[in-house]
Amino acid sequence: MSKNKTFIEIAKALGISPSTVSRALNDHPRISNETKQKVKKLALELDFTLNPMASSFRSNKTQTIGIIVPRISFYFHATVLTVVQNLLWKEGYQLIICQSNDSPEVEKELVNTLYASRVDGVIAATTLYTTDFSHYDILTRKQIPLVFYDRVPVNYYPAQIVKGDDYKGGFEAAEHLIKLGCKSIAHISGPLTCNLYKDRYAGYIDALKKYKIPYRQEMVFFHELSMDNAVESIQKIFKMETKPDGIFTANDTSAIGALMVARELGIEVPKEFKIVGYSNDPRSSIISPGITTIDQHPEIVGQQLAITILDLIRGTETKVELITEPTITPITLTIRESSKVL
Amino acid sequence: MSKNKTFIEIAKALGISPSTVSRALNDHPRISNETKQKVKKLALELDFTLNPMASSFRSNKTQTIGIIVPRISFYFHATVLTVVQNLLWKEGYQLIICQSNDSPEVEKELVNTLYASRVDGVIAATTLYTTDFSHYDILTRKQIPLVFYDRVPVNYYPAQIVKGDDYKGGFEAAEHLIKLGCKSIAHISGPLTCNLYKDRYAGYIDALKKYKIPYRQEMVFFHELSMDNAVESIQKIFKMETKPDGIFTANDTSAIGALMVARELGIEVPKEFKIVGYSNDPRSSIISPGITTIDQHPEIVGQQLAITILDLIRGTETKVELITEPTITPITLTIRESSKVL
DNA sequence: GTGAAAGCGCTAACAT
DNA sequence: ATGTTAGCGCTTTCAC
């Protein structure tokens, strides 16, 4: 097992120049295949690999991409991460995964650290509360490729965007309930500062309009989508004189909460009360009755993210202003027992 | 906004030598506070940060630690990751998170890539099927700190180990069922090549022995702990002439499977059949009835991991053979409805 | 298609 | 407590 010093010994052994060895190892197009072969063979035999620190230092490329997610354990993000990582890994990039824990302060710190560690690009889903995106400016200013996904800037920000079709998701969720005969549909939404909830809410509203179902303000809640909050809201709903016969919640945790409250109160789901959640969290399928939900296809999102950031990084030398329209990834209504007609 | 070149301009501006600036920026103990202050102040004003690539290159330290997990989305690992990352981040280390997807081949590749990227240390939970650990040799041979956790080498391997008290977990799970009056307790275990299942199984066996409950081989299953496998085994169990009145499953997915089969067959849980799982997966609390399970305290595991790897990295220059006994992290029996006496 | 030569920005041994 | 000095291993013009 050699000491893995430099490739100069390879150059010497082969009687060629160090620069040729470097180029051969890096698959430089102008090096003959024969030379490449020779060099790589010897490198393998000598158990030699390029020192990535030296390479990064010299070339100013780290082959590292940072990704900021609110929480690594959320099913949607976990799946996106897996896909992105696999894809980037194949292309020779490493992923630094960072969690903001939905704190804008942490997010800001993460951006700075990522910047300081000279990542080649950044992918980010912002926190629920990020309305000011100026902490990302350091990246755009220094031309570091940046792509937002899922939770993205609501107003224009000079970065690429990949997002799900939340409007359509909200619309289809509500429409589904309406077509099942629901006349009074509650909605649990997150803070409207977040594009996700704004769009899902808009879809819900438009579905009601389209089918001439009255919008009832007292049945619509805006708050962080935790189990506790959801339970509280749903308890309120069931205390009303005119109770709803269906609910669309902007995440699955809230849908599960709705199911639990209904169970406690002896309200039959789906017979008396139908539920549609959002995200297709695995929990929504193991619970009984299974919960109808909107699948966001995290694999597609992840794939799109990898493609986008790679394009940006590779195209960065040629064109500079290549920010295009947001990429909208599809959603699919996934029907389970919580909204089946009996 | 400056061009962020080198700290030589800081040295010049302050009339001191570059090495002093370097030391000041790195909080070298032999630099006066006054100098440090001055240097840091100017660096801030100039928006200057050290180039980590140059630092890494020169010092041969990447300030990066790799962690290999079977799957990022598993609750236990997701929580461990979160804790480890937060702690390491605070100490100025970045975490490269890698997934083996439980494939020994991928695991091997990950170790090699991590090695090639000169990480300062590696943390790993091996795959379910890793019995040969020689692909980790490259790390130990090159003195790169390595700590295994959760799923660890069964035989001696020269690396630090952090693991849960699986024997105790298995014992307490079985004992709990026994004390509740169960006379016939089934067990769903994973492959015994994995320390986790071996130990939990041993605990189960010993509890049966202690309380003189007969061990019934036909009620014990060894297979990958997927939902499908679990459902299949449990269906078999309920087809037997003498049915069990309790089950201990080595993960929560299987426990959920057991619950679902029972539900389908109209067997009342916990009245006729009591269930204890393992891991305290969030799903075990949202399902109804809630599932009794063994909490592995991933936060404690994560904390221990961070401490251990940091110690190893920092002590690496002084002592070399400092591998100590495995660190055993505690478990807690968490009782829910699936094993309540009625 | 290959070679020569010039550093990239930093750290650390040694000196004082 | 601070300065001097010598590279770390690689990429990349520029030349042929």
Side-chain angles (χ1 to χ4, degrees):
Chain A
M1 205 61 26
S2 90
K3 278 285 296 172
N4 195 25
K5 294 281 270 188
T6 87
F7 55 61
I8 296 195
E9 43 189 271
I10 296 187
K12 280 186 191 148
L14 261 31
I16 56 180
S17 83
S19 31
T20 303
V21 176
S22 169
R23 285 190 268 245
L25 257 14
N26 284 297
D27 267 325
H28 187 108
R30 281 202 307 229
I31 294 293
S32 73
N33 272 323
E34 195 191 357
T35 307
K36 283 185 189 171
Q37 227 88 84
K38 272 195 318 198
V39 170
K40 287 183 179 173
K41 183 162 168 289
L42 187 54
L44 204 63
E45 280 170 23
L46 260 34
D47 194 27
F48 173 85
T49 52
L50 284 173
N51 180 334
M53 283 126 81
S55 302
S56 294
F57 173 45
R58 189 56 237 260
S59 66
N60 244 309
K61 301 251 168 301
T62 52
Q63 295 293 113
T64 294
I65 290 169
I67 184 164
I68 300 176
V69 298
R71 224 151 262 162
I72 210 181
S73 57
F74 286 175
Y75 162 73
F76 174 75
H77 293 292
T79 311
V80 168
L81 283 174
T82 302
V83 175
V84 170
Q85 197 188 40
N86 288 164
L87 258 29
L88 291 185
W89 196 274
K90 270 189 206 132
E91 299 293 321
Y93 284 87
Q94 304 216 300
L95 235 209
I96 305 271
I97 299 171
C98 309
Q99 296 186 86
S100 66
N101 290 318
D102 259 327
S103 151
E105 291 74 42
V106 174
E107 180 182 38
K108 184 173 178 174
E109 202 194 319
L110 292 174
V111 172
N112 286 329
T113 314
L114 247 19
Y115 169 68
S117 58
R118 312 292 203 271
V119 290
D120 291 346
V122 172
I123 299 172
T126 77
T127 83
L128 230 36
Y129 310 105
T130 310
T131 47
D132 172 21
F133 289 81
S134 59
H135 46 290
Y136 284 99
D137 291 353
I138 182 80
L139 300 176
T140 49
R141 207 179 322 125
K142 302 275 184 172
Q143 311 260 35
I144 296 173
L146 170 62
V147 19
F148 287 107
Y149 80 100
D150 193 50
R151 302 162 176 194
V152 305
V154 180
N155 300 314
Y156 175 76
Y157 190 89
Q160 202 63 257
I161 284 179
V162 173
K163 63 192 289 292
D165 201 342
D166 292 291
Y167 173 83
K168 191 171 169 223
F171 189 91
E172 290 197 3
E175 186 178 47
H176 172 66
L177 289 168
I178 293 168
K179 288 193 169 167
L180 251 30
C182 291
K183 301 281 180 237
S184 171
I185 301 169
H187 180 43
I188 297 207
S189 177
L192 292 189
T193 46
C194 181
N195 63 295
L196 257 32
Y197 308 121
K198 205 175 122 209
D199 293 352
R200 291 173 196 174
Y201 175 60
Y204 159 82
I205 297 261
D206 282 0
L208 295 189
K209 270 192 198 140
K210 178 172 175 191
Y211 294 94
K212 313 234 186 317
I213 305 283
Y215 174 78
R216 294 179 50 198
Q217 198 185 308
E218 71 278 15
M219 284 200 179
V220 180
F221 296 80
F222 303 95
H223 50 57
E224 206 171 328
L225 296 173
S226 69
M227 179 63 78
D228 288 352
N229 286 348
V231 165
E232 197 180 320
S233 295
I234 293 149
Q235 282 168 338
K236 270 187 206 148
I237 290 177
F238 282 124
K239 282 192 190 118
M240 295 177 180
E241 352 59 273
T242 55
K243 293 169 184 46
D245 48 13
I247 190 168
F248 163 48
T249 61
N251 79 350
D252 282 337
T253 300
S254 305
I256 292 167
L259 187 57
M260 287 176 145
V261 173
R263 189 143 65 193
E264 246 172 48
L265 298 178
I267 294 166
E268 274 188 69
V269 176
K271 199 174 169 192
E272 304 170 61
F273 186 62
K274 299 182 181 25
I275 302 174
V276 178
Y278 212 106
S279 290
N280 202 9
D281 186 300
R283 292 174 301 164
S284 59
S285 67
I286 65 131
I287 207 164
S288 175
I291 292 175
T292 295
T293 184
I294 304 287
D295 193 323
Q296 301 180 91
H297 300 295
E299 331 76 39
I300 297 179
V301 175
Q303 205 181 325
Q304 198 56 54
L305 281 173
I307 292 173
T308 309
I309 194 78
L310 250 20
D311 274 2
L312 246 30
I313 289 175
R314 287 167 179 167
T316 219
E317 291 122 28
T318 48
K319 347 157 203 172
V320 169
E321 286 303 330
L322 68 166
I323 293 164
T324 60
E325 284 296 289
T327 305
I328 309 291
T329 56
I331 54 89
T332 308
L333 177 68
T334 305
I335 300 175
R336 298 206 179 87
E337 298 75 41
S338 74
S339 73
K340 289 250 168 82
V341 252
L342 289 189
Chain B
M1 206 59 28
S2 90
K3 279 286 296 173
N4 196 24
K5 294 281 271 187
T6 88
F7 54 61
I8 295 194
E9 45 189 89
I10 296 187
K12 279 186 190 149
L14 259 32
I16 56 181
S17 84
S19 35
T20 303
V21 176
S22 169
R23 285 189 270 246
L25 257 13
N26 283 298
D27 267 323
H28 187 108
R30 282 202 307 231
I31 294 293
S32 73
N33 272 323
E34 194 191 358
T35 308
K36 283 186 190 172
Q37 228 88 84
K38 273 196 316 199
V39 170
K40 288 182 180 175
K41 184 162 167 290
L42 187 54
L44 203 62
E45 281 170 20
L46 261 34
D47 194 26
F48 173 85
T49 52
L50 284 173
N51 180 334
M53 282 125 82
S55 302
S56 295
F57 173 45
R58 186 58 236 259
S59 66
N60 243 310
K61 301 251 167 301
T62 52
Q63 294 292 114
T64 295
I65 290 169
I67 184 164
I68 300 176
V69 298
R71 225 151 262 162
I72 210 182
S73 57
F74 286 174
Y75 163 72
F76 174 75
H77 293 291
T79 312
V80 168
L81 284 174
T82 302
V83 176
V84 170
Q85 198 188 40
N86 288 164
L87 259 28
L88 291 185
W89 196 275
K90 270 189 205 132
E91 299 293 322
Y93 284 87
Q94 304 215 301
L95 235 208
I96 304 271
I97 299 171
C98 310
Q99 296 187 84
S100 67
N101 290 317
D102 259 327
S103 150
E105 291 75 41
V106 174
E107 180 182 37
K108 183 173 179 175
E109 201 194 320
L110 292 175
V111 172
N112 286 330
T113 314
L114 248 19
Y115 169 68
S117 58
R118 312 291 202 271
V119 290
D120 291 346
V122 172
I123 299 173
T126 75
T127 82
L128 230 36
Y129 309 105
T130 310
T131 47
D132 172 21
F133 290 81
S134 60
H135 46 290
Y136 284 99
D137 291 354
I138 182 80
L139 300 175
T140 50
R141 207 178 323 124
K142 303 275 183 173
Q143 311 260 34
I144 296 173
L146 170 62
V147 20
F148 287 106
Y149 80 101
D150 192 50
R151 301 162 176 194
V152 306
V154 179
N155 301 314
Y156 175 75
Y157 189 90
Q160 201 63 255
I161 284 179
V162 173
K163 62 192 289 293
D165 201 341
D166 292 292
Y167 174 84
K168 192 172 169 223
F171 189 91
E172 291 198 3
E175 186 178 46
H176 171 65
L177 288 168
I178 294 168
K179 288 193 170 168
L180 251 29
C182 292
K183 299 282 179 235
S184 171
I185 301 170
H187 180 42
I188 297 207
S189 177
L192 291 188
T193 47
C194 181
N195 63 295
L196 257 31
Y197 308 121
K198 205 175 122 208
D199 293 352
R200 291 172 197 174
Y201 174 60
Y204 159 81
I205 297 262
D206 283 0
L208 294 190
K209 271 191 196 139
K210 178 173 176 192
Y211 293 96
K212 311 235 188 315
I213 305 284
Y215 174 78
R216 294 180 50 196
Q217 198 186 308
E218 72 278 16
M219 284 197 179
V220 180
F221 295 81
F222 303 95
H223 50 58
E224 204 171 330
L225 296 172
S226 67
M227 178 63 78
D228 288 350
N229 286 347
V231 164
E232 195 181 321
S233 295
I234 293 149
Q235 281 168 338
K236 269 187 205 147
I237 291 175
F238 282 125
K239 282 193 190 117
M240 294 176 180
E241 353 55 276
T242 56
K243 292 168 183 49
D245 48 12
I247 189 167
F248 163 46
T249 61
N251 79 351
D252 282 337
T253 299
S254 305
I256 292 167
L259 187 57
M260 286 176 146
V261 172
R263 189 143 65 194
E264 245 172 48
L265 299 178
I267 295 166
E268 273 188 70
V269 175
K271 199 175 169 190
E272 304 170 61
F273 188 62
K274 299 184 181 21
I275 302 174
V276 178
Y278 212 105
S279 291
N280 202 10
D281 185 301
R283 291 174 300 164
S284 59
S285 67
I286 65 132
I287 207 164
S288 175
I291 291 175
T292 295
T293 185
I294 304 288
D295 193 323
Q296 301 181 90
H297 300 295
E299 331 75 40
I300 297 179
V301 175
Q303 205 181 325
Q304 199 55 53
L305 283 174
I307 292 172
T308 309
I309 194 79
L310 248 22
D311 275 4
L312 247 29
I313 290 175
R314 286 167 180 167
T316 219
E317 290 121 29
T318 50
K319 346 153 204 177
V320 170
E321 285 304 328
L322 69 165
I323 293 163
T324 61
E325 283 296 288
T327 306
I328 309 290
T329 56
I331 53 89
T332 308
L333 177 68
T334 305
I335 300 175
R336 298 207 179 86
E337 297 76 40
S338 75
S339 73
K340 289 252 167 82
V341 253
L342 290 188

